[in-house]
Amino acid sequence: MPELTLRELSVKEHRGPRLAPLDVPAEGAERLLPRERLRGEAPALPEIPEPAVVRHFVNLSVLNHHIDKAIYPLGSCTMKYNPKLNDEMAQMPGLQAIHPLQPEDLSQGALAVIWELHEWLKVIMGMPAITTQPAAGAQCELTAILMTRAYHAERGNPREEVIVPDSAHGTNPSTVHQVGYRVVTVPSGPDGCVDIGALKREVSGKTAALTACSTWTARI
Amino acid sequence: MSFVGRSEAERRVMLKQIGAESVEALWASIPPEFRVQGSLPLDPPLAEYEITRRFAQWAEANADANQYACFLGAGIYDHFIPAAVRSLLSRSEFATAYTPYQPEVSQGTLQTIFEYQSMICELTGMEVANASMYDGATACAEASLLATGATGRRVVLVSQGVHPHFREVIRTYASAGSFDVRDLPLDHGATAAAGLKRMLSPEVAAVLWAQPNFEGIVEDGAALTEAAHAAGAYSIASADPVALALLLPPGRDGADIVVGEGQPLGVPMGYGGPLVGFFSIRKSDVRRLPGRLAGATVDLDGRRGFVLTLQTREQHIRRERATSNICTNQALMALANTIHLALLGAQGMRDVATQSLEKAHYLARRAAQVPGVSLANGDRAFFREFVLRLPGPATGFLRAAEKRRILAGVPLSRFDGARPRDLLVAATEKRTREEMDRYVDALAEWARHPAQAPVQEAACRS
């Protein structure tokens, strides 16, 4: 039988974890905020006791195939095994319960982790500088094409086209279009690599960049 | 740890099977100039317990919210996270599942996305929510792109009450020339209605505002939306999901797109990441929606199942004609939101919002009684965050408060050099009366001699 939805499991007045009692004098939302800005009734979120919530998500979880169960030979992005230690380290309170705007001298551990990672990735990539700010591979591409545009614009002409191999991930043409460039597609040869002859014919003074496969800019 | 624990004998069997003489021969098709010669100049690997030791040292070099009373907010908040969120999120079945392209082996992930979307719609008062975005900032940028595409206009008016970092991201997305951004000024912390009316024109695609805004102020979403609609523009709200348990959702103000940062719903602060954005719209815009969407359907035997739907909008099918370049969602963090909302439920979320509101007002009231200290935005209604105007540099008070194990707030000089004495202060349900009284004591002591406090600008430089 399929797992019910949260809405179907909800029973009015069931409650999850409770908060400690309010330890300051209660003024009431109606006194602190304009009445017309309040939503009245609480949002109709599920009302389910914790054990039932846990069972619901455990029941759903076992419907998934996942890499800890067996390999998953699919993907334009690949799913690799991650050592269990990684999660354990990332969940240390000293690395997890910290605010991004706390003073730098009280964040030296977090900054050291980021710096070490950058130093390693620079060696592995063979590049002199790095940012790990983008949130996903597709956003890395966006960052790269925006940087390309800024580079050319600073030299007086942002140019018009970006060359994308037909073997590139769908994000490549989509990103190029989002940054306002025309996509010029070059075919692959019989060996599966970019047809260099075709590429040479397409490159011109209008070309702003050639996108490589998304793995060049992928999320680590 | 070895990723490929193969013995020599196993290697030989595999090589024989594929007809290669050696591992070296297997790689012969890669030209030598493209191969790394030798090994990369990296430090040698560490044993697990050595790694643990090193990370423990790093963790100790941070001031965390378990040792310090954290009054920092500005978009990232120290809210209560039930233990069951982490426990369920850590399950291999969720944490190591691949993207749900094959629905028959991804029903768990797909149903949780469907449930996530349903609860986001309930909070925002909208009809359709997607499977999530990278974060609140990029959700705002994508909402701007949706509105400019839908209206065929190219100006987005962004309230200065929207997080300064969000505004930078929106400008970065706009820098490709796809739209123009103009700032909507604030009047005592709220988006100025008069200023908005002056700036509206037939070129304006959208008005983007925050609820509550960066300074904690509750905006009049109905008035902003009405003005935007009168000019034929979209009304886009960037909303705080905890506030939406108590405040009128922007959907009921008539907003066309409601986005926001989902971190307050069960995601640790994590020094700012990973985050998760939500994105909700009216049904009529569903074909313009960026990102993924999970839908319920029935299989051949009539049983309920879940799938990714309307994928013809997406980049892997439509390439350069896609609605956006986004090809994933922030799956695990969206799942944290889902479990968190399921656990806390209607009453729990209402309690979190109400306690945050009460505690922020308790602290604001007491702090404003300290001689020389006032509320920068006067008596404007606020939710769980407010701006204190101090009798000296805010960074000086930060240093004084740290000595009492208090992270006192975010100095607004970080974003605006003209506001050296303004401090953005947040209080969640986790802050205790004792912590807040300690805060006020520290403030009163510092305020007596504010000029003598050490001012270390470097501590707050971004």
Side-chain angles (χ1 to χ4, degrees):
Chain A
M1 194 186 121
E3 181 67 18
L4 296 174
T5 63
L6 289 166
R7 189 164 290 177
E8 290 159 352
L9 287 166
S10 178
V11 175
K12 208 157 179 50
E13 291 175 13
H14 273 169
R15 301 208 41 177
R18 286 170 190 274
L19 302 184
L22 184 66
D23 61 356
V24 299
E27 296 283 322
E30 295 77 14
R31 283 189 56 196
L32 297 174
L33 295 173
R35 193 172 290 271
E36 69 276 12
R37 288 287 98 211
L38 297 174
R39 79 181 288 162
E41 290 273 298
L45 294 168
E47 294 170 88
I48 310 173
E50 179 172 322
V53 172
V54 169
R55 285 181 199 126
H56 173 68
F57 284 100
V58 170
N59 286 337
L60 285 181
S61 77
V62 299
L63 302 178
N64 278 350
H65 183 74
H66 53 102
I67 201 75
D68 282 1
K69 184 179 176 191
I71 61 161
Y72 206 134
L74 184 160
S76 44
C77 312
T78 50
M79 184 74 211
K80 298 169 193 76
Y81 176 78
N82 278 300
K84 294 300 163 195
L85 184 67
N86 297 8
D87 291 332
E88 204 176 294
M89 295 302 97
Q91 287 178 356
M92 281 188 177
L95 293 169
Q96 199 167 52
I98 54 175
H99 193 284
L101 299 180
Q102 65 190 46
E104 284 168 355
D105 60 342
L106 298 179
S107 315
Q108 285 300 298
L111 292 166
V113 172
I114 295 168
W115 185 82
E116 288 269 5
L117 175 66
H118 284 189
E119 292 304 301
W120 288 327
L121 290 177
K122 279 153 61 178
V123 171
I124 293 166
M125 294 294 168
M127 298 296 279
I130 188 167
T131 170
T132 41
Q133 192 68 31
Q139 209 186 20
C140 292
E141 290 170 20
L142 184 66
T143 309
I145 304 290
L146 282 168
M147 285 174 70
T148 300
R149 177 176 269 279
Y151 171 87
H152 290 301
E154 199 178 87
R155 279 153 187 76
N157 178 7
R159 305 195 177 190
E160 295 160 37
E161 300 171 348
V162 171
I163 298 178
V164 181
D166 66 354
S167 57
H169 193 286
T171 54
N172 280 218
S174 170
T175 301
V176 166
H177 177 75
Q178 190 165 332
V179 182
Y181 283 122
R182 193 162 56 244
V183 175
V184 177
T185 307
V186 289
S188 308
D191 61 350
C193 294
V194 173
D195 180 337
I196 300 294
L199 173 63
K200 282 183 175 162
R201 284 190 295 280
E202 294 293 354
V203 176
S204 73
K206 293 179 185 169
T207 309
L210 162 70
T211 68
C213 169
S214 67
T215 49
W216 282 91
T217 49
R219 175 162 57 163
I220 305 298
Chain B
M1 197 208 81
S2 170
F3 278 86
V4 276
R6 302 282 176 228
S7 70
E8 261 315 302
E10 286 172 304
R11 240 174 239 174
R12 274 197 300 276
V13 171
M14 285 191 287
L15 286 168
K16 195 172 170 201
Q17 187 71 30
I18 58 177
E21 278 187 6
S22 64
V23 174
E24 204 48 39
L26 188 62
W27 293 340
S29 64
I30 304 173
E33 65 269 29
F34 296 145
R35 289 193 34 201
V36 175
Q37 305 300 330
S39 54
L40 291 168
L42 294 168
D43 294 340
L46 300 179
E48 276 207 15
Y49 53 89
E50 294 174 304
I51 296 173
T52 306
R53 203 176 295 146
R54 184 171 295 188
F55 275 85
Q57 285 163 357
W58 278 326
E60 213 163 285
N62 294 326
D64 70 65
N66 300 324
Q67 308 165 37
Y68 283 71
C70 179
F71 291 92
L72 299 165
I76 305 285
Y77 300 91
D78 181 32
H79 280 293
F80 157 62
I81 303 175
V85 174
R86 183 198 284 187
S87 162
L88 289 167
L89 213 59
S90 301
R91 288 181 66 82
S92 288
E93 294 89 338
F94 285 131
T96 81
Y98 183 61
T99 196
Y101 280 149
Q102 275 179 273
E104 66 278 17
V105 291
S106 311
Q107 283 300 297
T109 293
L110 286 165
Q111 183 168 338
T112 62
I113 295 175
F114 181 83
E115 312 238 44
Y116 164 83
Q117 293 170 176
S118 305
M119 290 193 286
I120 292 297
C121 286
E122 183 53 39
L123 280 175
T124 58
M126 300 300 283
E127 292 172 321
V128 180
N130 77 2
S132 73
M133 310 292 279
Y134 304 138
D135 53 29
T138 53
C140 283
E142 290 280 349
S144 303
L145 285 169
L146 192 163
T148 52
T151 57
R153 302 173 174 193
R154 53 172 298 123
V155 175
V156 177
L157 301 181
V158 181
S159 164
Q160 289 185 320
V162 173
H163 195 301
H165 290 165
F166 286 26
R167 280 152 53 208
E168 284 180 39
V169 171
I170 296 165
R171 280 185 192 283
T172 301
Y173 272 59
S175 71
S178 42
F179 61 97
D180 298 325
V181 178
R182 288 181 202 155
D183 284 344
L184 268 178
L186 297 183
D187 172 23
H188 293 92
T191 307
L196 169 59
K197 292 213 172 97
R198 268 197 309 277
M199 292 176 72
L200 281 164
S201 77
E203 280 192 300
V204 175
V207 176
L208 174 47
W209 49 284
Q211 185 72 305
N213 72 21
F214 182 66
E215 303 199 15
I217 304 299
V218 176
E219 295 272 14
D220 186 347
L224 296 172
T225 298
E226 204 176 302
H229 285 175
Y234 269 46
S235 170
I236 306 174
S238 170
D240 177 276
V242 170
L244 295 184
L246 194 58
L247 299 183
L248 196 69
R252 283 204 229 152
D253 288 325
D256 304 281
I257 309 177
V258 183
V259 296
E261 173 53 56
Q263 182 273 332
L265 302 177
V267 178
M269 296 189 288
Y271 204 52
L275 302 175
V276 51
F278 57 88
F279 198 107
S280 58
I281 56 167
R282 289 184 283 110
K283 213 170 182 173
S284 51
D285 273 327
V286 75
R287 288 188 183 277
R288 299 181 187 278
L289 186 68
R292 291 189 163 160
L293 191 61
T297 185
V298 287
D299 69 7
L300 285 172
D301 303 321
R303 291 176 306 181
R304 182 166 64 196
F306 297 87
V307 290
L308 292 180
T309 191
L310 295 173
Q311 290 188 71
T312 46
R313 300 166 294 112
E314 294 191 52
Q315 45 70 38
H316 65 281
I317 291 178
R318 195 164 261 211
R319 297 179 79 86
E320 67 264 32
R321 287 173 296 124
T323 51
S324 126
N325 76 335
I326 290 182
C327 62
T328 187
N329 66 326
Q330 196 73 328
L332 206 58
M333 298 304 110
L335 178 62
N337 290 171
T338 314
I339 299 168
H340 187 82
L341 287 169
L343 281 166
L344 284 162
Q347 193 55 47
M349 284 303 296
R350 178 55 80 95
D351 289 348
V352 168
T354 306
Q355 286 214 8
S356 299
L357 173 84
E358 293 279 6
K359 290 186 176 186
H361 282 77
Y362 173 81
L363 179 58
R365 250 189 331 268
R366 290 216 50 210
Q369 285 165 1
V370 172
V373 177
S374 62
L375 293 174
N377 294 316
D379 58 0
R380 287 266 196 217
F382 61 91
F383 175 54
R384 93 190 119 189
E385 202 159 15
F386 54 90
V387 179
L388 282 182
R389 185 151 294 162
L390 304 179
T395 48
F397 171 52
L398 282 192
R399 289 294 158 193
E402 277 163 23
K403 295 197 184 99
R404 300 203 190 198
R405 297 246 147 187
I406 294 166
L407 298 172
V410 176
L412 291 186
S413 57
R414 207 183 159 113
F415 306 102
D416 180 355
R419 300 180 74 173
R421 295 192 294 125
D422 287 359
L423 185 66
L424 185 62
V425 184
T428 67
E429 76 288 353
K430 281 175 76 177
R431 298 288 70 83
T432 64
R433 183 174 186 155
E434 183 279 320
E435 289 170 340
M436 294 190 284
D437 290 346
R438 183 150 44 104
Y439 187 109
V440 176
D441 287 347
L443 181 60
E445 188 186 292
W446 170 81
R448 280 196 286 275
H449 307 286
Q452 290 168 20
V455 181
Q456 293 178 16
E457 272 304 320
C460 296
R461 216 169 42 214
S462 60

